[in-house]
């Protein structure tokens, strides 16, 4: 469905994507997780043919997406940069969108439009940020594109609308399975929807695994610093918080049950690490944590 | 229902929910259970995750598959579930209990006494 | 040409203002109906245009090649052969002296009338003929009707002919003009479309026949041409 | 499984064209505003007054024609052509199905439509000017120096007007495309044009004169149409080539 091989994108000297490779399968919901400026938006724009990769190979529906009419007709990128002509009302925008997208479901669009109580005569430019996001989301859902991409879709939405959005997305996905990518920097509010997670950092892919695996990716160990140190050796640590001789450490879960039993015997508490935390630990900068900033004093 | 943002993988929660439904008789033997899509809608989760939960139950032979029709409760479902819970859940709880007792320096006899006392109390309440 | 960039900048500003007018929120009645109102005005004017009175200059069409060059004929002494329709007016005076004065009021100095003089044997009066050819526009339209009549007066006391009106006319017009894209293909191609209408012909001259012994002297800006005399008498 | 849809270029261009007719309605309006302003100027002041004549007659003619309206429309369309290439207009298309070619083609179709519509209104505005003059209090009787237009002239002149306007929009579109690719041109182009017309315009610039003669001194309508259509085609062709690799929403 989507395959990227060593994709690099540079803008005037800054590298947004750095030899990124990934494969996204058909009819899955994939979460694209990364911090600001990790290259999420760049990747999505390359996939929908808005911009062109500097090097590497990109294929969407076995075609090179840039400037490709077929890819454009079968994909949609919903983000807060969507610009609609301001002399045209919201209702007319829905009608026009219907002209362009063959799979467009006007019935769904109108029911969502009504549910979120939009004024048919309103102008897109006059909407608040959250309302814009909601309207864009309606376009994204109703267009029923085989590749539907949401880039930070919930910006500005309130909690209720956010929930409604994820619920609507899921229901429509179940009824009409398609390939969906949602990018966000917070995973927790949508992790139940996702089948796969693609974590990127500084333009490179870090992880691309099923969501359920991500939940078991790491474990947290809590106990005496000395015991933990001895037991872990020089195994890389995801995060570490210490208070005198007591520490909490998160590490990649490469242990079998027996090893975990052993460490429990030594008075170490073993706890799972949530997917959101895993992503946070994985994508944080190399300069240590925020703790290190304060340690200097 | 489910703890979506919790640390327990959702597919395991789905499997446990389904087991509970079988135990309390919502699904009878040889009755068709919910499809992955129904479950996904009910619990607001990805269908693939729901499928994984169902698959787990199939592997444990709690459910069986009729091709093209869906998944059904196997005749031995209740027994299997109870056996599994005994061997896994109960054992895990006991391990934790023993560990905790050790940390609190509770003697073995004292611990056993506490268990007996608790059991008596519960039985008493039942009567 | 030098003003062009400034007009251009002005128009850019205008368009910018017009666009922002289109964007402002709150549906203004005028703004929403602007184009419709304009179209209605256009259609109404176009229809009314057909009911307005004729606006053409009065006059018939004339083929310019049929009009003689009266100057040439005059020089050659063949003015008699010119069609009588071009002889607009004739006067006959009896001069008291041999020296005839021709005077032009100051305000007519610009028009520089041409006087042809021919001495005729045995003539004892003075005949003045006013010849004029029609004024024709490049399009072939004869607009001679707008010209004024010439006026002459003979003052016996000073033996002076006073030209009171040479027939010169200033025509003040308010005119509709074809748009340049039409002009470019359908008008006389030698006419620059920034120029006004070109009038052709419309020459005039006074032809004096005087007694043999008489003489003519001009005052002011008058050109006298002697006909039939090889050497001009000083 | 969501089925893939195949769209043809023709269909996409048509959809975009219809969308533009609705969404860029403001462009029509801004041109109409210019025309109204030009009508106002013309009706009150006249286009030009000239005097000429022969020995017996001299004319003082105050002219009224839709020349200023046509000229304003040409400049307006030139500016709109530039506007069409700017970021906000370019990105509007990329919300829906498009590629660069279909976008350029639909822009072209849209600008041509505006040219045709505003060309017709520009020519008809002659009647509005006539009407205003007629009903002005000190109304002077309008003379029609050249005689009434024949239908043949109206149609030919209309085609020429529309071609002039369309060529201006095409030129604007090309200039805009160049500016989109090389931002520096936004200063260089006006500087060169203004500088050239200021320095050389006063002394009959040679190149300007040639260009002027090429278009404005062509008296054969057929040849003129060929020249203008070629010019329009070259401008759009170049713009399509220039913009074909241009990225959108890039930053």
């Amino acid at each position: 469905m989507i395959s990227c091989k060593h994709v690099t994108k540079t803008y005037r000297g800054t590298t947004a994507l750095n030899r990124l490779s990934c494969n996204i399968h058909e009819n899955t919901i994939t979460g694209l997780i990364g911090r600001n400026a990790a290259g999420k938006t760049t990747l999505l724009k390359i996939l929908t043919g808005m911009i062109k990769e500097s090097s590497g190979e990109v294929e969407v529906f076995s075609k090179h997406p840039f400037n490709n009419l077929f890819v454009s007709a079968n994909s949609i990128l919903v983000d807060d940069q969507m610009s609609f002509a301001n002399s045209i009302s919201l209702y007319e925008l829905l009608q026009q969108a219907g002209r362009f997208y063959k799979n467009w479901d006007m019935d769904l669009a109108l029911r969502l439009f009504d549910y979120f109580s939009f004024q048919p005569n309103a102008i897109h430019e006059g909407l608040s940020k959250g309302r814009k996001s909601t309207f864009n989301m309606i376009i994204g859902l109703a267009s029923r594109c085989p590749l539907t991409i949401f880039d930070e879709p919930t910006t500005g939405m309130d909690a209720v609308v956010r929930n409604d959005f994820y619920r609507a997305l899921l229901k429509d996905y179940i009824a009409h399975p398609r390939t969906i990518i949602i990018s966000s920097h917070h995973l927790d509010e949508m992790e139940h929807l996702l089948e796969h997670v693609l974590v990127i950092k500084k333009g490179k892919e870090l992880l691309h695994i099923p969501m359920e695996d991500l939940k078991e990716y790491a474990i947290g160990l809590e106990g005496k610093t000395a015991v933990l140190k001895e037991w872990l050796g020089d195994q890389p640590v995801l995060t570490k918080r210490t208070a005198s001789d007591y520490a909490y450490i998160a590490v990649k879960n490469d242990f079998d049950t027996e090893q975990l039993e052993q460490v429990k015997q030594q008075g170490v508490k073993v706890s799972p690490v949530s997917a959101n935390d895993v992503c946070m630990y994985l994508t944080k900068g190399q300069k240590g944590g925020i703790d290190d900033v304060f340690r200097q004093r | 229902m489910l703890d979506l943002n919790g640390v327990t993988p959702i597919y395991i929660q789905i499997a446990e929910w389904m087991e509970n439904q079988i135990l309390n008789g919502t699904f009878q033997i040889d009755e068709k259970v919910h499809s992955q899509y129904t479950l996904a809608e009910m619990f607001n989760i990805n269908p693939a995750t729901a499928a994984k939960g169902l698959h787990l139950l199939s592997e444990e032979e709690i459910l069986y598959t009729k091709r093209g029709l869906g998944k059904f409760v196997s005749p031995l479902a209740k027994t299997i579930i109870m056996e599994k819970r005994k061997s896994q859940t109960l054992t895990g709880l006991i391990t934790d209990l023993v560990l905790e007792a050790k940390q609190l320096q509770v003697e073995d006899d004292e611990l056993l006494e506490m268990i007996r006392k608790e059991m008596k109390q519960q039985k008493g309440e039942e009567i | 040409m030098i003003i062009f960039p400034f007009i251009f900048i002005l128009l850019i500003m205008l368009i910018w203002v017009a666009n922002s007018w289109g964007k402002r929120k709150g549906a203004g009645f005028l703004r929403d109906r602007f184009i419709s109102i304009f179209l209605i005005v256009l259609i109404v004017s176009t229809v009314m245009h057909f009911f307005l009175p004729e606006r053409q200059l009065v006059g018939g069409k004339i083929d310019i090649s049929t009009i003689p060059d009266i100057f040439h004929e005059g020089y050659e002494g063949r003015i008699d052969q010119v069609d009588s329709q071009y002889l607009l007016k004739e006067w006959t005076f009896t001069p008291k002296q041999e020296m005839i004065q021709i005077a032009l009021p100051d305000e007519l100095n610009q028009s520089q009338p041409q006087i042809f003089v021919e001495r005729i044997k045995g003539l004892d009066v003075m005949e003045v003929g006013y010849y004029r050819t029609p004024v024709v526009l490049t399009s072939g339209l004869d607009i001679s009707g707008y010209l004024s009549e010439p006026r002459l007066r003979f003052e016996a006391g000073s033996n002076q002919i006073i030209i009171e009106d040479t027939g010169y006319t200033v025509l003040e017009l308010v005119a509709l003009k074809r748009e340049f894209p039409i002009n470019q293909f359908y008008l006389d191609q030698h006419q620059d479309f920034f120029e006004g209408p070109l009038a052709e012909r419309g020459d005039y001259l006074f032809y004096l026949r005087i007694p043999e012994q008489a003489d003519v002297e001009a005052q002011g800006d008058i050109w006298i041409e002697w006909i039939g005399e090889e050497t001009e008498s000083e | 499984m969501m089925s893939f849809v195949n769209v043809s270029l023709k269909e996409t261009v048509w959809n975009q064209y219809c969308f533009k007719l609705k969404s860029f309605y403001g462009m029509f309006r801004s041109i109409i505003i210019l025309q109204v302003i030009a009508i106002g100027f013309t009706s009150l002041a006249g286009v030009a007054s000239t005097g000429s004549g022969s020995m017996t007659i001299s004319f003082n003619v105050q002219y009224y024609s839709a020349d200023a309206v046509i000229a304003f429309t040409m400049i307006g369309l030139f500016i709109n052509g530039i506007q069409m290439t700017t970021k906000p207009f370019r990105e509007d298309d990329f919300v829906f199905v498009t590629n660069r070619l279909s976008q350029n083609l639909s822009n072209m179709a849209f600008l041509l439509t505006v040219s045709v519509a505003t060309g017709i209104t520009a020519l008809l505005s002659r009647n509005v000017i006539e009407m205003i003059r007629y009903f002005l209090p000190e109304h002077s009787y309008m003379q029609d120096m050249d005689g009434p237009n024949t239908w043949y002239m109206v149609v030919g002149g209309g085609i020429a007007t529309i071609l002039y306007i369309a060529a201006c929009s095409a030129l604007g579109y090309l200039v805009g495309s160049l500016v989109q690719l090389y931002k520096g041109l936004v200063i260089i182009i006006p500087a060169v044009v203004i500088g050239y017309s200021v320095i050389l315009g006063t002394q009959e610039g040679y190149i300007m004169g040639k260009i002027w003669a090429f278009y404005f001194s062509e008296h054969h309508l057929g040849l003129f149409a060929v020249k203008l259509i070629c010019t329009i085609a070259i401008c759009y062709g170049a713009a399509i080539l220039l913009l074909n690799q241009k990225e959108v929403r890039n930053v």
Side-chain angles (χ1 to χ4, degrees):
Chain A
M1 184 79 174
I2 294 173
S3 98
C4 297
K5 232 183 250 169
H6 308 308
V7 176
T8 300
K9 176 70 189 175
T10 48
Y11 296 110
R12 294 184 202 92
T14 54
T15 307
L17 288 183
N18 186 8
R19 295 180 67 75
L20 180 135
S21 300
C22 66
N23 281 300
I24 290 171
H25 298 292
E26 207 169 314
N27 298 344
T28 57
I29 305 184
T30 304
L32 179 61
I33 308 297
R35 301 178 58 191
N36 292 332
K40 298 186 302 260
T41 301
T42 305
L43 175 63
L44 298 179
K45 283 178 180 170
I46 288 176
L47 293 182
T48 43
M50 304 272 173
I51 58 176
K52 197 176 169 187
E53 70 282 0
S54 309
S55 69
E57 279 173 42
V58 185
E59 277 193 356
V60 175
F61 320 129
S62 332
K63 290 187 166 60
H64 183 231
F66 184 71
N67 215 0
N68 188 309
L69 200 56
F70 180 79
V71 172
S72 178
N74 288 289
S75 64
I76 185 166
L77 171 60
V78 177
D79 62 7
D80 55 2
Q81 278 184 43
M82 279 177 126
S83 80
F84 294 100
N86 45 37
S87 57
I88 190 164
S89 71
L90 293 183
Y91 181 74
E92 282 174 316
L93 277 176
L94 292 182
Q95 286 180 321
Q96 290 294 332
R99 295 181 79 103
F100 283 94
Y101 293 106
K102 294 275 179 63
N103 292 335
W104 178 263
D105 184 343
M106 193 61 182
D107 190 45
L108 173 70
L110 285 180
R111 274 184 285 129
L112 286 171
F113 194 76
D114 196 44
Y115 174 77
F116 290 109
S117 37
F118 280 102
Q119 295 295 319
N121 293 325
I123 301 294
H124 192 264
E125 212 182 52
L127 298 176
S128 71
K129 203 167 182 187
R131 299 288 282 167
K132 268 184 196 162
S133 297
T134 312
F135 182 78
N136 296 353
M137 170 269 277
I138 295 178
I139 299 249
L141 283 179
S143 64
R144 295 257 166 85
C145 283
L147 173 59
T148 304
I149 297 180
F150 294 97
D151 188 9
E152 303 283 354
T154 54
T155 314
M157 287 184 191
D158 62 37
V160 178
V161 178
R162 241 174 240 233
N163 266 330
D164 284 345
F165 163 60
Y166 287 123
R167 179 83 181 142
L169 178 70
L170 182 78
K171 283 187 83 98
D172 205 51
Y173 169 76
I174 290 169
H176 303 275
R178 56 197 125 150
T179 311
I180 297 176
I181 304 177
I182 313 176
S183 95
S184 181
H185 39 243
H186 29 239
L187 178 61
D188 46 359
E189 63 180 32
M190 59 172 192
E191 60 177 69
H192 52 281
L193 293 179
L194 304 179
E195 189 171 342
H196 290 279
V197 181
L198 173 60
V199 184
I200 65 174
K201 179 184 180 183
K202 292 189 174 168
K204 272 180 115 59
E205 78 282 6
L206 272 182
L207 273 187
H208 188 191
I209 53 173
M211 184 65 220
E212 295 302 317
D213 293 0
L214 183 65
K215 287 196 167 180
E216 295 170 23
Y217 181 80
I219 49 168
L221 304 170
E222 197 178 340
K224 289 222 166 71
T225 318
V227 179
L228 289 174
K229 240 183 198 161
E230 190 200 327
W231 199 71
L232 286 170
D234 51 3
Q235 196 170 347
V237 166
L238 288 174
T239 191
K240 188 172 161 186
R241 283 197 296 271
T242 48
S244 64
D245 64 339
Y246 202 72
Y248 172 82
I249 292 178
V251 289
K252 191 167 180 300
N253 187 6
D254 291 331
F255 309 103
D256 52 35
T257 347
E258 226 165 278
Q259 283 173 306
L260 289 178
E261 280 308 315
Q262 269 180 359
V263 74
K264 275 187 195 166
Q265 301 288 346
Q266 290 176 325
V268 174
K269 270 193 188 160
V270 179
S271 59
V273 180
S274 79
N276 196 42
D277 287 346
V278 172
C279 287
M280 218 163 71
Y281 300 147
L282 283 173
T283 55
K284 73 175 183 212
Q286 272 144 355
K287 289 175 187 157
I290 189 77
D291 283 358
D292 295 334
V293 176
F294 292 93
R295 191 164 300 145
Q296 306 299 326
R297 299 204 294 195
Chain B
M1 300 221 278
L2 298 191
D3 176 16
L4 292 180
N5 296 328
V7 288
T8 317
I10 296 170
Y11 72 96
I12 290 179
Q13 296 185 49
I14 286 289
E16 280 173 359
W17 180 85
M18 189 61 84
E19 283 170 8
N20 287 339
Q21 299 304 304
I22 293 171
L23 284 181
N24 66 27
T26 312
F27 294 114
Q28 300 291 337
I29 287 170
D30 291 331
E31 193 182 341
K32 186 175 184 292
V33 299
H34 294 318
S35 74
Q36 65 187 83
Y37 298 107
T38 319
L39 288 172
E41 273 229 49
M42 272 175 71
F43 296 111
N44 205 22
I45 54 169
N46 191 297
T49 312
K52 203 170 169 184
L54 291 176
H55 184 72
L56 192 70
L57 295 177
S58 294
E59 273 188 339
E60 288 165 354
E61 292 176 358
I62 296 167
L63 300 178
Y64 65 92
T65 310
K66 278 191 196 164
R67 280 192 82 87
L69 290 176
K71 292 193 188 306
F72 294 80
V73 180
S74 74
L76 292 173
K78 277 192 180 179
T79 331
I80 298 171
I81 295 167
M82 285 199 283
E83 280 302 317
K84 183 178 81 172
R85 293 222 170 157
K86 238 187 250 169
S87 66
Q88 283 178 8
T89 323
L90 210 54
T91 320
L93 285 173
I94 290 170
T95 314
D96 288 347
L97 182 72
V98 174
L99 271 175
E100 187 70 19
K102 196 170 153 195
Q103 276 195 347
L104 298 173
Q105 293 173 337
V106 178
E107 292 298 317
D108 292 2
D109 291 342
E110 198 182 342
L111 182 63
L112 287 172
E113 187 54 41
M114 283 167 81
I115 294 173
R116 271 191 208 104
K117 197 175 161 191
E118 177 66 26
M119 286 168 93
K120 250 184 212 163
Q121 212 168 332
Q122 296 231 349
K123 268 180 198 156
E125 273 171 18
E126 272 170 38
I127 295 162
Chain C
M1 265 317 234
I2 204 161
I3 200 169
F4 185 73
F6 299 102
I7 295 178
F8 195 75
I9 290 164
L10 181 78
L11 287 185
I12 290 178
M13 283 161 60
L14 273 176
I15 286 199
W16 186 72
V17 170
N19 274 348
S20 63
W21 187 51
K23 263 183 202 172
R24 253 202 334 256
K25 275 210 283 180
F29 178 81
L30 180 62
R31 193 192 62 200
D32 288 353
R33 308 282 185 284
F34 193 78
I35 294 184
S36 324
I37 292 172
F38 182 71
L39 287 180
I40 290 168
V41 170
L42 267 189
I43 292 165
V44 167
S45 329
T46 307
V47 171
M48 282 190 68
H49 154 92
F50 290 106
F51 295 103
L52 284 184
E54 274 301 314
R55 297 146 292 128
Q56 282 201 48
L57 287 174
V58 186
K61 288 267 178 180
I62 279 192
D63 183 0
I64 199 161
S65 61
T66 63
I67 300 174
D69 183 347
I70 52 170
F71 282 125
H72 184 73
E73 301 297 319
Y75 288 132
E76 300 291 325
R78 293 199 301 258
I79 200 79
D80 292 340
Q81 291 162 30
V82 169
D83 193 314
S84 62
Q85 62 166 305
Y86 303 118
L87 174 62
L88 251 71
K89 217 165 181 180
E90 272 186 297
W91 298 268
T92 308
F93 308 118
T94 314
K96 294 270 161 36
Q97 294 160 29
E98 290 189 348
M99 179 58 78
I100 303 160
Q101 303 269 331
I102 299 180
L104 191 69
D106 283 344
E107 66 267 22
L108 285 180
N109 243 342
Q110 298 291 316
S111 59
Q112 303 190 355
Q114 298 256 346
I115 312 273
F116 285 63
V117 186
E118 190 184 357
R119 290 195 171 103
I120 308 280
K121 275 186 188 167
L123 194 70
D124 46 6
V125 292
M126 187 174 64
E127 292 171 6
V128 181
Y130 178 81
Y131 293 84
R132 185 167 72 187
T133 48
V135 186
V136 179
L137 293 184
T138 326
S139 57
L141 189 71
D142 176 14
I143 53 166
S144 307
Y146 293 88
L147 299 177
S148 57
E149 290 280 298
R151 270 185 294 140
L152 280 188
R153 187 160 54 87
F154 182 69
E155 221 163 69
S158 54
N159 203 35
Q160 212 177 26
I161 297 175
I162 298 164
I163 303 176
E164 286 180 318
D165 191 338
T166 60
Y168 180 82
T169 305
V170 176
L171 194 55
E172 297 280 351
L173 289 177
V174 175
L176 267 179
K177 193 180 155 195
R178 288 215 181 94
E179 284 68 32
F180 67 91
I182 302 181
N183 268 351
Q184 189 174 341
F185 307 103
Y186 297 105
L187 216 62
D188 187 319
Q189 325 229 311
H190 303 292
Q191 184 183 338
D192 189 332
F193 49 71
F194 287 125
E195 292 270 310
L198 281 184
E200 290 180 73
R201 291 296 189 248
D203 307 321
Y204 72 93
L205 55 85
F206 291 99
Y207 204 94
L208 271 62
R209 291 188 178 81
I210 56 171
E212 200 176 5
Q213 70 283 6
D215 207 352
V216 176
E217 193 186 70
Q219 291 176 351
D221 232 340
I222 298 177
W223 178 254
I224 294 181
E225 188 74 37
W226 293 89
I227 305 300
E229 289 174 31
E230 293 303 316
T231 48
E232 220 154 87
S233 60
E234 294 298 310
Chain D
M1 169 59 210
M2 194 55 72
S3 58
F4 287 117
V5 292
N6 259 311
V7 291
S8 65
L9 181 66
K10 210 173 94 190
E11 197 184 349
T12 309
V13 171
W14 172 249
N15 283 339
Q16 285 179 317
Y17 171 73
C18 293
F19 181 55
K20 273 164 210 204
L21 284 185
K22 269 187 180 280
S23 61
F24 297 161
Y25 180 72
M27 250 185 204
F28 274 111
R29 187 164 42 211
S30 61
I31 297 294
I32 297 296
I33 291 172
L34 280 190
Q35 293 191 339
V36 170
I37 291 168
I39 290 172
F41 278 153
T42 306
S43 315
L44 297 177
V47 181
S49 70
T50 52
S52 76
S54 71
M55 269 188 74
T56 37
I57 197 158
S58 113
F59 298 102
N60 275 332
V61 192
Q62 191 155 31
Y63 280 117
Y64 291 91
S65 78
D67 279 357
V69 184
I70 296 172
F72 272 41
T73 309
M74 284 166 70
I75 297 170
L77 257 286
F78 176 76
I79 295 165
N80 275 352
I82 294 177
Q83 269 188 325
M84 289 288 283
T85 62
T86 55
K87 201 174 146 90
F89 284 87
R90 239 175 339 120
E91 306 213 326
D92 276 1
D93 281 318
F94 278 85
V95 170
F96 300 128
V97 179
T98 186
N99 65 5
R100 275 81 189 157
L101 183 60
S102 75
Q103 177 179 41
N104 282 317
L105 289 176
S106 60
N107 282 348
M108 190 177 127
F110 175 74
L111 284 175
L112 286 177
T113 308
V114 179
S115 302
V116 172
T118 56
I120 291 169
T121 57
L123 280 180
L124 286 180
S125 66
R126 170 192 173 91
N127 299 326
V128 179
I129 295 168
E130 195 185 335
M131 204 60 46
I132 293 174
R133 290 301 310 179
Y134 190 78
F135 288 112
L136 276 186
E138 77 312 359
H139 108 256
S140 4
Y141 202 50
M142 274 279 192
Q143 310 292 338
D144 209 338
M145 301 298 291
D146 312 313
N149 289 335
T150 59
W151 281 109
Y152 186 61
M153 283 176 168
V154 170
V155 171
I159 290 171
T161 307
I162 289 165
L163 283 174
Y164 270 130
I165 294 171
C168 283
S169 65
L171 187 66
Y173 197 72
L174 177 61
V175 169
S177 309
L178 282 167
V179 170
Q180 287 306 313
L181 288 179
Y182 315 103
K183 290 278 187 271
L185 290 176
V186 80
I187 297 166
I188 295 169
I189 292 178
V192 167
V193 171
I194 293 176
Y196 191 86
S197 48
V198 165
I199 296 165
L200 296 178
T202 48
Q203 50 198 38
E204 289 293 313
Y206 179 71
I207 301 172
M208 282 288 201
K210 285 266 174 184
I211 294 172
W212 183 268
F214 183 76
Y215 295 113
F216 290 91
S217 303
E218 174 59 63
H219 297 299
H220 189 275
L221 182 59
L223 281 178
F224 172 82
V226 169
K227 281 179 179 180
L228 273 256
I229 289 169
C230 287
T231 307
I232 292 167
I234 289 169
C235 285
Y236 282 123
I240 288 171
L241 288 180
L242 283 172
L243 290 179
N244 205 32
Q245 296 298 311
K246 180 81 182 157
E247 297 180 333
V248 288
R249 294 205 224 167
N250 59 342
V251 177

